Amino acid sequence: MSAGGIFRPGMRAYFVPLVAGVALATSAFLPWVIVADVTIPGVPDVPGLWIVGLGALAAVLALLSLITRKNSRHPLLIVGLFALGIMFLSWRMMPKAITARALIRSQALAIVENRAVTDVPRVEVGSGIYLGLAAACALVGFGLTIVVKRASRPYVIADPNDDV
């Protein structure tokens, strides 16, 4: 097996999930939530660890498909759907959860220091979640190509000898 073998015409499309898997795994180390000036990456939390694992799994599946010339679109679709679900839920829930934690901390500090409650710092979604969402969508899109395939004959050819 030569290194040029993975660049064969039939298997070049597997570079898409390879890059998407690496991008998905990398997205867990980027900031997922930004609170004022503090960035919180996804990696110490459980969803971030899942995303690293799913991204590595997608990259390994794509690399094995390139080397062995075997189809792995079904597993890539499953991995992409799991990653998309985790990233979507993180995108919707993490900023709200961090805002609630910041409010509780602000109230606790106000009680301890015997002062008025200050405003909760602004919470924003970081670039890691957006990169993870894009990579997961790319994996799902690539996996769905196994479902949508061209028909070899889009219409039935009538037999000229048919007397009906």
Side-chain angles (χ1 to χ4, degrees):
M1 176 99 202
S2 66
I6 63 173
F7 295 106
R8 289 182 288 252
M11 300 305 282
R12 286 187 201 143
Y14 278 94
F15 283 111
V16 172
L18 179 65
V19 171
V22 170
L24 185 65
T26 304
S27 72
F29 298 100
L30 295 174
W32 278 20
V33 178
I34 302 168
V35 182
D37 294 333
V38 179
T39 60
I40 302 171
V43 128
D45 294 331
V46 173
L49 295 175
W50 271 98
I51 290 300
V52 169
L54 289 172
L57 182 62
V60 167
L61 283 171
L63 188 62
L64 286 174
S65 292
L66 283 169
I67 292 171
T68 63
R69 293 188 52 93
K70 300 287 182 187
N71 186 358
S72 67
R73 291 180 191 220
H74 286 102
L76 284 169
L77 175 63
I78 301 290
V79 168
L81 286 172
F82 275 118
L84 184 63
I86 291 170
M87 292 307 298
F88 182 77
L89 289 175
S90 295
W91 174 54
R92 299 303 297 161
M93 294 174 63
M94 281 188 83
K96 293 176 185 176
I98 298 293
T99 302
R101 284 181 16 197
L103 177 63
I104 291 169
R105 184 177 187 276
S106 171
Q107 291 171 345
L109 286 175
I111 290 170
V112 169
E113 296 173 356
N114 197 18
R115 61 174 171 80
V117 177
T118 59
D119 289 336
V120 177
R122 187 171 164 194
V123 178
E124 298 175 353
V125 177
S127 61
I129 287 185
Y130 292 125
L131 177 64
L133 277 171
C137 285
L139 284 173
V140 169
F142 183 79
L144 283 176
T145 58
I146 195 75
V147 176
V148 182
K149 59 182 179 179
R150 292 184 190 160
S152 59
R153 291 186 184 191
Y155 55 90
V156 178
I157 299 173
D159 188 14
N161 298 328
D162 193 12
D163 292 337
V164 177

